[in-house]
Amino acid sequence: MTDMSRRRVLAGIGAALTAPLVPAFGDQAAMPPVRMIEANGIRMAVYEAGAGPAVVLLHGFPELAFSWRHQIPALAAAGYRVIAPDMRGYGLTDRPARVEDYDLAHLTGDLVGLLDALDIERAVFMGHDWGGLVAWQMPLFHESRVAGVIGVNTPFVPHEMLWLHPDLIRDLMPPGKSFVPDPHEDPIVQMRRVYSPDMYVLMFQDGDLGDRLMARDVRRTFRTVMRKDVISRAAYMKLPREARHMTFLTPLGAPEPETLPGKPILTPEELDVYVRSFERTGFTPGINWYRNLSRNWQAGLAVDQTVRVPSLMISAEDDVVLTPAMADGMEACVPDLEKHVIAGCGHWTPQERPAELNALAVSWLNRRFPA
């Protein structure tokens, strides 16, 4: 069997497998047909639409390529070739067993392999949440394959010190105390001195309790987590510091409250897509990305932390973890940078405020990489 024939067979198998997982919900939310592509030693599920300069959309945790369902048609209509993979460990993409198979060397290598498989020399990488962190690392490790970067919610912070950003520490430290992070010390070691053990990133380092809490009732996890208008940044800052310690997982072990704060982002049909997918895969592969923070930090110590490609940073006013203030001063490491803040938006920007995000992304792409 030739390579081309093999790819066609894999694509057909992938389409058959995905049909019940990714239904269409109207023109704006429909996903393109899935393609199964071999990249960096794994099979990746890829959703592609449009023609023109390539834009690769990188989802976060716990999400899927489906999280970009509102961006794919908008960017394709604007004249771009849009490529949205289920990232390593997610959806229909392979899920290697070893924790170390989810470090940044593998995650960025997957994307280089994806470009190779699609015969694309360079692309703009647009990432949200963990996808944003990977997008910012692409020009550090594979600059020749990167045309530009769009960070959504996730700012660039050198040396994998995102969760030790001074603004985040200031929000959470008790009055009268201070802590200055050291880029030359393991970030997990430092986080243990700053945060409580049930802070979600630390919980992911210590056994599998976080994995089990999230998988205990997948539908409840997504009903609880993917919400909007939960709390404004101003109201969050009025909470006692002990209530701000990012202990997002422990409530999943208690009885579900009768009412949840804010409003759901997902329709019942969209919620079903996530539930069916994560009931099949579990959350551990995605959580393994967090379990490589120390390894990623070590690998980046000798790497120049300057992003030398045109970049766009889109923050969300009411994201209480990845705050707009964390993007202040990014220009020191990202010289060619444009920044915007979407007012009244929480963490799940691509799904919560798609029209505003699409407008900002298309405007910047049209100016920097005309279709």
Side-chain angles (χ1 to χ4, degrees), residues 213-231:
L213 285 172
M214 295 191 74
R216 181 179 178 181
D217 183 341
V218 174
R219 187 171 298 275
R220 175 186 173 182
T221 295
F222 281 98
R223 276 201 311 263
T224 302
V225 171
M226 280 195 181
R227 304 186 72 79
K228 62 183 178 180
D229 302 331
V230 173
I231 189 170

Side-chain angles (χ1 to χ4, degrees), residues 209-257:
L209 177 58
D211 311 48
R212 290 186 283 111
L213 285 172
M214 295 191 74
R216 181 179 178 181
D217 183 341
V218 174
R219 187 171 298 275
R220 175 186 173 182
T221 295
F222 281 98
R223 276 201 311 263
T224 302
V225 171
M226 280 195 181
R227 304 186 72 79
K228 62 183 178 180
D229 302 331
V230 173
I231 189 170
S232 69
R233 171 71 179 164
Y236 175 76
M237 291 306 297
K238 292 179 181 178
L239 294 174
R241 276 180 167 79
E242 57 271 17
R244 296 189 226 148
H245 254 293
M246 296 185 287
T247 55
F248 304 136
L249 303 179
T250 48
L252 295 175
E256 185 173 10

Side-chain angles (χ1 to χ4, degrees), residues 38-91:
E38 293 189 9
N40 197 30
I42 64 171
R43 292 186 319 140
M44 297 189 76
V46 178
Y47 304 83
E48 185 176 357
V55 180
V56 181
L57 306 179
L58 310 179
H59 67 78
F61 173 84
E63 297 186 86
L64 300 163
F66 181 72
S67 302
W68 296 108
R69 62 196 175 278
H70 303 294
Q71 283 67 52
I72 294 171
L75 295 176
Y80 295 91
R81 182 181 181 183
V82 189
I83 302 150
D86 282 336
M87 300 288 278
R88 175 179 289 242
Y90 289 90

Side-chain angles (χ1 to χ4, degrees), residues 13-15 17-19 21-22 34 36 43-45 47 64 86-87 89-95 277 280-281:
I13 292 172
L17 286 172
T18 300
L21 288 175
V22 188
V34 69
M36 300 304 294
R43 292 186 319 140
M44 297 189 76
Y47 304 83
L64 300 163
D86 282 336
M87 300 288 278
Y90 289 90
L92 295 175
T93 292
D94 284 349
R95 304 183 302 280
S277 184
R280 184 175 62 85
T281 66

Side-chain angles (χ1 to χ4, degrees), residues 322-344:
L322 302 175
T323 68
M326 291 172 68
D328 291 347
M330 271 180 61
E331 294 83 353
C333 296
V334 190
D336 186 351
L337 180 65
E338 181 176 320
K339 295 192 294 188
H340 297 275
V341 178
I342 298 179

